[in-house]
Amino acid sequence: MTIYFYKVWQPYGCFSNFSPHPIEIQSTYWPTVEHYYQAQKFVGSEDEVIIPLIHRAATPEEAAALGRCDKHRLRLDWELVKIQVMREAVLKKFLTHLEIREVLLVTGNEVLVENSPTDYFWGCGTDKTGENHLGKILMSVREEIRQLLSLSISKSA
Ligand SMILES: Nc1nc(O)c(N)c(N[C@@H]2O[C@H](COP(=O)(O)O)[C@@H](O)[C@H]2O)n1
């Protein structure tokens, strides 16, 4: 059975990048994965000054609005690195927060799909034909965490 998620207040809302689960990456705390992801768009770009504003944004919606504002210039390699940037942040989120790691692991081998009506890259879009990269990242993070856990169990045995 495919598991669909999207908004934080809907079922499996903890899979959304907007969920209130802070992460620490390179000694900086980010309130949500979305804050981190949106800020990374501008690392090394001419509009890097926007990064502290995204970092301080009161909500992930505000962080996303700042990051999506087309007046600001993205880093030149963004299309090349964005999946890896997202994966690092999502992995950190599920390594940091035990209660949602359990929710992820309990999904077993079910297919996870970000049910965004508008996003055909991170989600599946209205007609479900989107690339679903966020769902794919969550499934690969689920597998990586399973392997990490089985390694730590076999080491302690
Ligand atoms: N608008 C919106 N609301 C939510 O609750 C969402 N989960 C999303 N999806 C996320 O938007 C991010 C992509 O942003 P860009 O289009 O690259 O600026 C990504 O985190 C999606 O998961 N959108």
Side-chain angles (χ1 to χ4, degrees), residues 30 33-45 47-48 50-55 63-64 66-67 75 78 85:
W30 297 88
V33 166
E34 192 66 16
H35 282 76
Y36 175 77
Y37 164 79
Q38 294 294 343
Q40 296 316 295
K41 290 181 176 178
F42 303 99
V43 171
S45 86
D47 284 322
E48 214 169 22
I50 198 180
I51 293 176
L53 301 183
I54 295 174
H55 189 232
L66 286 166
R75 60 196 274 181
W78 182 239
V85 165

Side-chain angles (χ1 to χ4, degrees), residues 62-86:
E62 197 181 299
L66 286 166
R68 289 172 185 160
C69 170
D70 55 18
K71 288 196 191 106
H72 300 117
R73 283 154 295 183
L74 303 184
R75 60 196 274 181
L76 297 176
D77 63 352
W78 182 239
E79 289 305 315
L80 294 176
V81 301
K82 65 183 181 181
I83 291 181
Q84 194 44 44
V85 165
M86 183 72 91

Side-chain angles (χ1 to χ4, degrees), residues 2-8 10-18 93-94 104 111-117 122-124 132-139:
T2 300
I3 293 175
Y4 290 96
F5 64 92
Y6 185 44
K7 292 293 181 187
V8 171
Q10 293 171 341
Y12 296 97
C14 64
F15 295 167
S16 163
N17 293 327
F18 287 48
K93 171 177 161 180
F94 287 92
L104 181 62
V111 174
L112 307 178
V113 177
E114 189 191 42
N115 198 13
S116 167
W122 295 112
C124 66
N132 186 37
H133 284 287
L134 182 59
K136 288 175 182 163
I137 285 174
L138 283 159
M139 291 184 273

Side-chain angles (χ1 to χ4, degrees), residues 96-127:
T96 305
H97 300 280
L98 297 186
E99 72 291 3
I100 60 168
R101 182 200 298 175
E102 207 44 43
V103 176
L104 181 62
L105 292 175
V106 165
T107 62
N109 289 325
E110 302 295 356
V111 174
L112 307 178
V113 177
E114 189 191 42
N115 198 13
S116 167
T118 52
D119 192 335
Y120 283 77
F121 182 80
W122 295 112
C124 66
T126 321
D127 62 6

